[in-house]
Amino acid sequence: MNFRKTFLFTLFTLLILPAMGQVSFGQPEKINDGWKFFLGDASEAQAPAFNDNKWKNIDLPHDWSVRGQLSPTLASATGYLPGGIGWYRKVLNIPRDKQDEKVYLYFEGVYNRSEVFINGHSLGKRPNGYISFMYDATPYIKYGEDNLIAVRVDHSQSADSRWYTGSGIYRNVWAVYAHPVHIAQWGVYAYPKSVSKNQATISVQVELENSTAEKANLTINNELLSPEGKVIARNSKKLALPANGSNKMAVDLKVSNPKLWSIDTPDLYQLKTTVTRDGKVIDQTVTTTGIRSLTFDPNKGFALNGKWMKVKGVCLHHDAGVLGSAVPRDVWKRRLLTLKQVGCNAIRTSHNPQAPDLYSLCDELGLLVMNEAYDEWEFPKRKWLEGWNVGTPGFQGNYDFFEEWGEKDLADMVRRDRNHISIFAWSIGNEVDYPNDPYSHPVLGGEKSGGFTQASYGGYNPDAPDAMRLGAIAKRLVAVVKKYDTSRPTTAGLAGVAMSNETEYPGAVDIAGYNYTESFYIKDHEKYPNRVIFGSENRHELAAWKAVRDNEHIFGQFLWTGIDYLGESGRWPSRGFYSGLLDFGGFIKPRGYFRQSIWTDTPMAYLGTYPTPGKGSRSQMKDVWSQLDAANEKNYEEKVPSMDAWSIWNYEEGQSIRVVCYTNAAKARLELNGKEVGKLQDYNDNTGIIYWDIPYQPGKLEVIGLDKDNQEVSRYAIRSSKRPYALTIERIEKQISKDKGLAQVLVQVVDEDGLPVMLSDNEITCQIVGPARLLGMEAGNNEDMTDYTDNVQRVFHGHILTYLQATGEAGQFKLRFTSPWLKPVEATIDIY
C-alpha cells in the first residue's frame, strides 16, 4: 500500500477587475459608501418608509464594537468590548437599463446572525459571521428607482467567541448585475491532472445557471495567460443549459514549461472565461491562477513542487488592533510582508475563514495558507469573562446553528476559496476535542493521557458529551470538503491527541495537526506510521521548533501567534493576547527577531536588555518589566535568557544588566563604546540565545556576529538616549488614492540627537486638515484601555502608528502631530 499522499494542482483566484467581488460572474459593483447605521434594535427598520434621518452616516466596512466603550464589566474573551444589535440601511438606485438583468447582493462577511432585506422583503438570514453569502434580490427590485437595502445584525450574544470578533458589516458589500444566463456563484474551478517541469495539464470546470424558461445553447471560451500576459492555451466548447436549470463543462488546458508558484517566486497566471450566446458575450470573468504541486509523506513531511521543506507558520486572527475586524487590504499587506521578513512562510486562519483580501495577498506574496472553518461544532466551549483561564466561564457560542448550517458554511468556504493557490490544506476544526471542553472519554486521567500541556478540567466525566462522536462528525465534514475539492488534504488542530487517538477523529482527516503536544510526535509516528503529523499550534520556545527541525517526519509548526490580537485578554487592563511576533500595529517585537534568528538564513543580529535577574529590584526595572510578557515571568525568575527583551540602553550607571543577542551567526561578541565587554561566545542551540551580564555604562552597545571562520556577517547596535525632545515621522506614504486610499504614518519620539527614546510614553495629538479621516492610532500597548479611535494617544516604545484614509476627493491633506513640551512634526500627503 502506498502511504504517500501527493496533491498536484493549479488553483485559480478571482481577480478584482477593477471592482470585482469574488463571485466569478456578472458585473460586481462595490456599494460600501453611503450607509446609515443605528446601534440598537429598531422596529420596522426594514421598511422603505422608515425614518432614519437621525441615524449615523457611515461607510463600510464597519465594526461597531471596536468603537464601543471598553469596560471591565464586559467579557475578557472578546477584549472587554461590547456587542449588541445594529441596523444598517442604504438607498441603491438600480438603473432602468438593468431591467433585463438579474440583481444580486453579495456580502463578504457580517458578524453575526444577520438578516438582509430589500424594499422591506427579507432575502434571508445567515448566522455565521465569517462566511461570505449572496442573495438574489431580483424579484423585489424596482428598476429605474431607488431601492432600500436594510440589514439587521444581532451580536447580542457578545461573549460568543474565545477571541475578539467585531460586530457589523465588517467586510465589503457588492451589487452584482448579471444576464439571466450566467456563470454560477463561485462557478469556475481549476485543478491539474498532472504537473511536471516541462508540462502541466490543468482541468478547468465551469458551472452555469439558466433562470429563463428557455433552453440556452452556449459557447464557453477559456484562455490562459502567462505571467507576461501572453495567451498560452485556449479552448472553446459548446454547452446546452436546460430551462430553469444548470449544467457544467470541463476542459483540459496544457501548459508547456510552466512557471511554478512557490514561496520565493509566486508566479501567477490568468484564466479568462467568456460565455457567448448567438455570438454575443453574456458573461465573463478573469481568474488569477498559479501552478504547483504538494506532497505529504508520513516519513518525509512536506514538499512544495517536489522540494522537501519545513513549514514555518503562524496562526492569525482577523483583527488589527485599533481597527478591529474592519481591516483595509494595505494593512494586511504590510503585516504579511513583515511576517515574511522574520522567516514566516505560512499562515493558519485561526479559527475561521478570513476576508478575501488576505488570501489574494498570500497568493501574490508567496505564503502558504491553512484555511480553517471552525472552533466549535455541536457544543460550546468555555468563554473566559474575567481574564484568560480565570474566574467562571460563559458558554455562549455559535454551536446552536451548527447542525443546520455547518455543512453549508463549510461548503461555501471551500467553494469561495478553492481557487486560491496559497491554500494548501483545509482545516475542519480547532480544538473541538479539548478534554472536557466539552467532550470526555475514559482515557482521561489514565496512563494514556500523559502529555497534555493544557488544562483538561479533571478526569473522565461520564456526563459530558462522548468523544466518540468526534469521528462521525469529522467524516461528515471531510466528505463536504472532498465534494468540492480533492486537490488538497483535510486536517484539524487536535488539542487532546491522547483522547482523540481513542476515536476515529485523527483517521478521518488526511493530515493530523497537533496543538502543543510535541511529546507525542515520535511515539505517535511509531504507533501510527501512516499518519502525516505537524504542529498546528505551538509555543515560541526553541524546543518546540527543534521538535520540527530535528524530526524529518514533522513537516512544520504554526506559532501561537503571529500578531497580537484583541480578546482572550488577561485580567483588566488587557486588550488582548500578547504572544505575537508582531504587535497590534504590525511592528516586530523582540520575539519576532528571535524567530528571525532561527527561521532565516540571511545574516542578522539583535540586541535586547533587562536588569540581571537577582541583581535589581522590580521597581528598578519597572519600565522594562512591562515589556516582558507574563508567559516569560517564570523564565525571568529562573534566569533563563528572555526572548522578549527590548532594545533599551538606559539604566542606572553600574547596574548589572543582562544583554541578550538573537542571531543566526555561529558566534558573537559584545562591544560597548568600541571596547569588548562580552567575550566571544558560540551560538547556544539549547536556548537559541547568547547573553552577557555587564555593568551599565551609557553609550553605544553593539554586537558583532561572526561565522565559523570568525568573519563578520552581522552587526546590531543600540544607544543610550537622552530625554524626549521632538517628534519625527519615520514612515509615511507620499500619495494615496482618493478611493479609500490608506496612509500608515509612523511617528517616533526622539531626543535632541535624533535617537529614538524607547522608554517614552508621551501623549500625541493628531490633527488633519483636508479630505481624509482618522481611522485610529495604534501604539501596541496591551494595557492601554483608552478610546482606540480618539486622536489623542500615548506612544509605546517611543512610537505610534496612525491610520488615515482618503474620503473621496483628489488634492492633498495636511497632518500635524503634537505633544506637550516636544517639538511637533508636520507632513502633507497627496491624493490622486
Side-chain angles (χ1 to χ4, degrees):
M1 184 175 180
N2 184 358
F3 295 110
R4 173 171 293 185
K5 304 174 181 180
T6 302
F7 302 82
L8 300 172
F9 59 92
T10 299
L11 302 144
F12 289 74
T13 69
L14 294 161
L15 181 69
I16 297 181
L17 275 177
M20 187 173 188
Q22 353 67 48
V23 293
S24 76
F25 74 91
Q27 300 171 339
E29 295 181 5
K30 193 180 290 184
I31 55 171
N32 284 348
D33 294 347
W35 289 74
K36 295 272 194 173
F37 173 69
F38 174 72
L39 181 57
D41 213 351
S43 178
E44 300 301 317
Q46 76 274 17
F50 182 88
N51 186 348
D52 60 13
N53 288 339
K54 294 184 178 180
W55 287 22
K56 185 176 182 180
N57 295 313
I58 64 154
D59 292 337
L60 304 179
H62 177 251
D63 173 8
W64 81 65
S65 287
V66 79
R67 296 178 176 275
Q69 180 63 55
L70 287 147
S71 172
T73 64
L74 298 173
S76 59
T78 49
Y80 299 105
L81 284 163
I85 295 175
W87 277 90
Y88 296 84
R89 286 165 56 94
K90 177 181 174 62
V91 173
L92 180 67
N93 184 273
I94 306 294
R96 189 173 298 278
D97 61 11
K98 300 288 187 183
Q99 62 185 357
D100 293 328
E101 299 182 16
K102 295 180 71 67
V103 180
Y104 298 90
L105 297 178
Y106 180 71
F107 294 79
E108 292 184 6
V110 182
Y111 203 92
N112 63 348
R113 302 177 190 266
S114 65
E115 183 172 9
V116 178
F117 302 85
I118 185 76
N119 295 326
H121 300 276
S122 176
L123 296 179
K125 298 180 179 181
R126 198 61 180 252
N128 192 317
Y130 299 112
I131 295 295
S132 299
F133 57 91
M134 185 178 73
Y135 296 122
D136 183 356
T138 310
Y140 311 107
I141 292 297
K142 298 176 181 179
Y143 294 92
E145 300 181 33
D146 287 343
N147 293 260
L148 190 283
I149 303 170
V151 183
R152 183 180 186 270
V153 184
D154 184 357
H155 192 201
S156 54
Q157 295 188 47
S158 58
D160 62 353
S161 173
R162 296 190 298 133
W163 60 90
Y164 179 80
T165 61
S167 302
I169 308 178
Y170 68 103
R171 296 181 189 161
N172 296 319
V173 180
W174 306 79
V176 184
Y177 301 100
H179 190 282
V181 180
H182 59 75
I183 300 168
Q185 180 183 3
W186 305 318
V188 178
Y189 172 48
Y191 61 94
K193 287 185 176 178
S194 63
V195 174
S196 69
K197 181 179 180 181
N198 299 323
Q199 181 171 282
T201 301
I202 303 165
S203 179
V204 178
Q205 294 181 3
V206 182
E207 182 180 2
L208 296 104
E209 295 177 346
N210 178 10
S211 62
T212 73
E214 299 179 352
K215 176 182 176 181
N217 294 311
L218 310 174
T219 300
I220 318 300
N221 296 297
N222 283 287
E223 293 181 310
L224 188 66
L225 281 69
S226 69
E228 295 77 26
K230 180 181 178 181
V231 176
I232 56 174
R234 57 164 51 98
N235 177 273
S236 181
K237 197 167 186 177
K238 297 186 181 300
L239 183 71
L241 291 185
N244 296 307
S246 62
N247 203 353
K248 294 180 181 179
M249 60 81 64
V251 63
D252 288 346
L253 299 177
K254 295 186 182 297
V255 181
S256 299
N257 302 313
K259 293 185 176 181
L260 302 185
W261 184 94
S262 69
I263 303 298
D264 297 322
T265 57
D267 288 310
L268 297 171
Y269 293 72
Q270 289 185 328
L271 177 74
K272 182 179 180 180
T273 303
T274 305
V275 181
T276 61
R277 185 181 189 183
D278 299 328
K280 180 182 179 181
V281 175
I282 61 173
D283 201 6
Q284 64 181 353
T285 189
V286 176
T287 306
T288 301
T289 178
I291 304 170
R292 51 100 154 125
S293 68
L294 304 175
T295 304
F296 295 87
D297 184 276
N299 297 310
K300 299 189 60 139
F302 168 70
L304 177 62
N305 300 325
K307 297 179 180 179
W308 300 101
M309 61 175 284
K310 294 295 186 181
V311 170
K312 302 168 181 177
V314 296
C315 301
L316 291 182
H317 279 314
H318 72 305
D319 74 273
V322 68
L323 299 174
S325 58
V327 185
R329 177 186 176 93
D330 286 347
V331 174
W332 274 119
K333 183 174 183 179
R334 176 175 155 267
R335 288 172 150 220
L336 294 174
L337 285 171
T338 305
L339 285 172
K340 285 203 73 170
Q341 180 183 338
V342 300
C344 175
N345 61 23
I347 68 169
R348 174 182 175 224
T349 65
S350 48
H351 305 290
N352 49 264
Q354 299 207 15
D357 279 345
L358 184 76
Y359 304 95
S360 296
L361 283 167
C362 289
D363 294 340
E364 297 168 14
L365 302 178
L367 283 162
L368 294 166
V369 177
M370 180 168 291
N371 205 13
E372 192 155 76
Y374 299 117
D375 188 56
E376 59 188 20
W377 290 345
E378 57 178 349
F379 297 108
K381 292 179 179 178
R382 289 169 170 82
K383 312 298 188 305
W384 299 106
L385 308 178
E386 305 167 50
W388 186 58
N389 281 354
V390 298
T392 302
F395 289 93
Q396 293 179 352
N398 297 312
Y399 64 95
D400 57 310
F401 54 78
F402 178 78
E403 190 62 33
E404 178 182 359
W405 287 96
E407 292 183 31
K408 177 168 177 51
D409 287 343
L410 178 61
D412 284 356
M413 179 188 87
V414 174
R415 293 176 66 233
R416 187 196 74 168
D417 295 339
R418 61 187 173 176
N419 289 321
H420 284 287
I421 189 171
S422 53
I423 296 172
F424 80 122
W426 304 108
S427 174
I428 61 173
N430 169 68
E431 295 185 348
V432 294
D433 62 333
Y434 206 110
N436 288 319
D437 190 19
Y439 296 95
S440 197
H441 188 279
V443 72
L444 296 178
E447 293 182 0
K448 292 183 180 180
S449 66
F452 288 127
T453 59
Q454 296 169 282
S456 58
Y457 306 112
Y460 173 52
N461 180 3
D463 296 325
D466 186 353
M468 299 304 287
R469 300 171 61 89
L470 293 165
I473 298 173
K475 289 179 180 179
R476 198 169 80 227
L477 296 178
V478 166
V480 171
V481 174
K482 299 296 184 183
K483 180 179 178 180
Y484 297 104
D485 180 35
T486 58
S487 67
R488 304 171 182 82
T490 56
T491 188
L494 306 178
V497 176
M499 182 178 78
S500 290
N501 280 342
E502 303 299 312
T503 76
E504 295 181 300
Y505 186 17
V509 295
D510 298 304
I511 59 178
Y514 283 34
N515 285 15
Y516 307 106
T517 43
E518 291 86 358
S519 61
F520 279 74
Y521 285 176
I522 294 177
K523 61 184 178 182
D524 273 16
H525 179 53
E526 295 172 349
K527 187 174 182 179
Y528 308 100
N530 302 324
R531 182 181 293 178
V532 177
I533 301 173
F534 69 99
S536 43
E537 200 166 303
N538 304 87
R539 293 186 177 87
H540 291 249
E541 285 74 20
L542 181 62
W545 171 245
K546 290 172 69 175
V548 177
R549 184 195 71 183
D550 299 341
N551 288 292
E552 185 181 19
H553 70 284
I554 304 299
F555 74 70
Q557 69 170 188
F558 288 85
L559 295 176
W560 194 265
T561 178
I563 306 176
D564 293 345
Y565 59 92
L566 301 178
E568 282 198 284
S569 305
R571 289 190 184 277
W572 180 280
S574 172
R575 297 173 64 191
F577 211 82
Y578 200 58
S579 67
L581 300 178
L582 315 183
D583 67 15
F584 292 112
F587 294 101
I588 303 174
K589 294 163 61 179
R591 62 175 51 198
Y593 291 107
F594 173 73
R595 187 57 41 175
Q596 186 179 36
S597 73
I598 60 179
W599 271 3
T600 67
D601 296 323
T602 302
M604 61 80 61
Y606 169 90
L607 279 183
T609 69
Y610 52 91
T612 303
K615 297 295 181 69
S617 68
R618 292 297 181 89
S619 61
Q620 286 179 302
M621 65 171 296
K622 177 182 177 182
D623 291 327
V624 180
W625 181 255
S626 63
Q627 324 303 330
L628 303 176
D629 72 4
N632 272 282
E633 182 172 350
K634 183 178 178 183
N635 282 349
Y636 180 85
E637 297 297 344
E638 293 177 352
K639 302 182 182 180
V640 175
S642 172
M643 70 176 78
D644 293 303
W646 293 88
S647 291
I648 295 170
W649 194 234
N650 284 86
Y651 297 94
E652 296 178 7
E653 192 158 342
Q655 183 180 359
S656 180
I657 301 301
R658 175 152 294 177
V659 180
V660 297
C661 170
Y662 316 144
T663 182
N664 52 18
K667 54 190 77 173
R669 70 172 187 269
L670 186 68
E671 294 182 356
L672 177 59
N673 297 324
K675 297 181 179 178
E676 183 173 294
V677 292
K679 66 179 181 179
L680 187 67
Q681 290 192 41
D682 291 334
Y683 177 82
N684 187 329
D685 196 45
N686 292 322
T687 64
I689 301 172
I690 298 172
Y691 76 92
W692 304 267
D693 292 333
I694 65 171
Y696 173 75
Q697 294 292 330
K700 178 182 177 182
L701 186 68
E702 189 167 30
V703 66
I704 298 93
L706 309 173
D707 63 17
K708 294 180 180 179
D709 298 321
N710 290 325
Q711 298 298 308
E712 180 179 331
V713 293
S714 56
R715 184 180 287 257
Y716 186 93
I718 58 178
R719 292 171 173 83
S720 305
S721 65
K722 299 176 183 177
R723 292 183 178 277
Y725 174 77
L727 302 178
T728 62
I729 292 178
E730 298 295 313
R731 181 197 188 282
I732 189 170
E733 282 78 7
K734 294 182 179 179
Q735 61 179 9
I736 59 176
S737 168
K738 66 179 181 179
D739 184 19
K740 300 293 178 65
L742 187 76
Q744 302 176 69
V745 182
L746 176 62
V747 176
Q748 177 73 53
V749 176
V750 298
D751 67 9
E752 62 186 53
D753 298 320
L755 295 176
V757 184
M758 287 287 292
L759 295 178
S760 64
D761 64 349
N762 299 73
E763 187 176 82
I764 307 294
T765 298
C766 172
Q767 296 171 306
I768 307 169
V769 177
R773 66 180 181 127
L774 174 69
L775 296 185
M777 301 175 71
E778 179 60 75
N781 186 352
N782 190 44
E783 296 182 356
D784 186 349
M785 310 303 284
T786 55
D787 182 357
Y788 294 168
T789 59
D790 190 24
N791 73 324
V792 180
Q793 297 287 337
R794 289 192 176 277
V795 301
F796 190 54
H797 304 137
H799 67 206
I800 193 165
L801 183 70
T802 302
Y803 298 107
L804 302 145
Q805 189 175 62
T807 55
E809 298 179 32
Q812 62 178 209
F813 67 95
K814 295 182 179 180
L815 287 169
R816 179 177 171 85
F817 294 95
T818 61
S819 182
W821 312 113
L822 301 186
K823 185 178 179 180
V825 64
E826 297 179 351
T828 299
I829 297 178
D830 293 327
I831 304 175
Y832 61 90

